Amino acid sequence: MTLRIAITTGEPAGIGPELCATLDASLFDAELVLIGDPELLGNRTVAGKTLTDLPLFNPASSAQKGRLCIAPVNLNTPSHAGTLNPDNAGYVLQTLDTAIEGCLDKTFQAMVTAPVHKAVINDAGIPFTGHTEYLAEKTASTQVVMMLATPGLRVALATTHLPLSEVPAAITADNLEAVLRCLYRDLQLHFHIKSPRVLVAGLNPHAGEGGHLGYEDDTIIRPVIEQLSAEGMSLTGPLPADTLFTPPWLAKTDAVLCMYHDQGLPVLKHMGFGQAINITLGLPVIRTSVDHGTALEIAGTHRADPGSLVAAIHCAIEMAG
């Protein structure tokens, strides 16, 4: 069966539309379906290439490997590269809803998302903390995990888009156990790792240093690791985050679980920015994404690098296949 992959084109003022315009569908073992405004995509083309004549997506047709088509969703108001407009927040969410619904009804076998701009969606009066949380809500998923990956490193997060002051309260035994079970299961399911080896970072500097720098590592994180290790999971930790990202440790792991967003992602993005991808684990659908934001400052200049989008599409195809 030829796979169909939905690609949401992201914030219309950002680089998402022009990244989609660079795609050469012949390089992928699937049919790619862009979800967005046809006129917008036509205006953001690069190197003389035009997307204005893309065939419309026909769900009744057979999927064709190497074909690029478009499922149209119209902008609420014209968009200009680099200039955010809250009036298009609903448009952005509609593209996501179209992809989610198509994945749930098996029209698409996976979805790939170009970057959105959280602040402008909130400016429109719509509460939105990120793709991960939105997808969880829309699919009624009780436990999802945000994981970024680049060749040689996977980093998953125990918490996602939270103010740093709220992170300690969110690290509970129940939440941590659920995250680790989800991570372990999906590494087996989607990445075919029979017995995943997971390093778990501590929350505090030096993993709490025996309680002198915080109690959470010894009273919350360590007991969960010991419990799940006794069940047969290969878990190591809690480890000081400042030393676990070193070659000797990384040579012994399939994924690292960090306690909060900026604990692990700076390391991963330094290692593979532009080629890294974002994967949401725990969903009933497959979703991958780019590792970067909307880059408003270069939108419309054709300087954006499509490497992360290309990697995200290849990963979605591999996971779906």
Side-chain angles (χ1 to χ4, degrees):
M1 181 188 76
T2 299
L3 300 174
R4 274 192 171 125
I5 309 298
I7 304 173
T8 60
T9 51
E11 165 54 48
I15 61 174
E18 63 201 72
L19 290 178
C20 292
T22 70
L23 292 174
D24 181 352
S26 68
L27 301 178
F28 300 95
D29 291 330
E31 179 176 280
L32 306 184
V33 183
L34 302 179
I35 301 177
D37 187 284
E39 185 175 353
L40 170 70
L41 290 170
N43 291 337
R44 300 286 174 82
T45 54
V46 298
K49 183 179 177 182
T50 178
L51 293 183
T52 53
D53 298 324
L54 273 183
L56 294 180
F57 170 57
N58 178 8
S61 67
S62 298
Q64 181 179 317
K65 185 173 74 172
R67 178 166 60 189
L68 183 68
C69 53
I70 186 165
V73 175
N74 295 326
L75 285 166
N76 295 332
T77 190
S79 177
H80 304 284
T83 304
L84 295 170
N85 189 332
D87 289 343
N88 279 321
Y91 157 83
V92 172
L93 298 185
Q94 189 179 351
T95 65
L96 290 175
D97 291 344
T98 301
I100 294 166
E101 291 162 9
C103 285
L104 289 173
D105 69 17
K106 309 304 182 186
T107 299
F108 308 123
Q109 282 68 59
M111 61 183 288
V112 179
T113 57
V116 300
H117 197 285
K118 302 179 190 69
V120 76
I121 297 174
N122 283 283
D123 288 344
I126 304 170
F128 184 86
T129 54
H131 275 116
T132 303
E133 297 84 354
Y134 188 79
L135 291 167
E137 179 184 352
K138 286 293 180 177
T139 60
S141 300
T142 57
Q143 181 61 59
V144 297
V145 175
M146 180 177 174
M147 183 176 81
L148 270 75
T150 196
L153 181 62
R154 300 182 185 96
V155 174
L157 302 177
T159 62
T160 52
H161 300 109
L162 283 180
L164 192 56
S165 61
E166 296 178 15
V167 168
I171 306 295
T172 66
D174 287 345
N175 287 345
L176 186 58
E177 178 184 345
V179 166
L180 280 166
R181 289 190 185 280
C182 178
L183 171 60
Y184 204 84
R185 179 188 67 242
D186 276 19
L187 286 172
Q188 293 176 317
L189 175 65
H190 293 305
F191 296 92
H192 313 295
I193 303 170
K194 185 177 180 180
S195 181
R197 301 164 301 169
V198 178
L199 301 181
V200 182
L203 172 65
N204 297 293
H206 302 177
E209 203 161 277
H212 295 288
L213 292 176
Y215 67 88
E216 294 90 350
D217 302 277
D218 286 335
T219 63
I220 298 173
I221 300 173
R222 191 181 308 279
V224 172
I225 292 173
E226 291 174 348
Q227 172 197 336
L228 297 181
S229 295
E231 295 180 15
M233 291 190 187
S234 180
L235 308 175
T236 303
L239 297 170
D242 64 341
T243 55
L244 74 82
F245 288 105
T246 54
W249 279 114
L250 294 184
K252 297 184 275 187
T253 189
D254 296 300
V256 175
L257 178 68
C258 289
M259 293 299 110
Y260 55 93
H261 188 280
D262 283 11
Q263 186 182 51
L265 298 194
V267 179
L268 182 134
K269 292 189 177 187
H270 174 73
M271 183 173 177
F273 189 73
Q275 300 299 320
I277 59 172
N278 188 346
I279 305 161
T280 305
L281 307 178
L283 295 172
V285 303
I286 292 170
R287 178 261 175 167
T288 67
S289 188
V290 295
D291 70 341
H292 55 75
T294 53
L296 297 171
E297 67 280 4
I298 62 169
T301 67
H302 313 318
R303 289 159 45 203
D305 183 352
S308 182
L309 179 62
V310 170
I313 296 170
H314 280 304
C315 181
I317 293 169
E318 182 179 354
M319 292 173 68

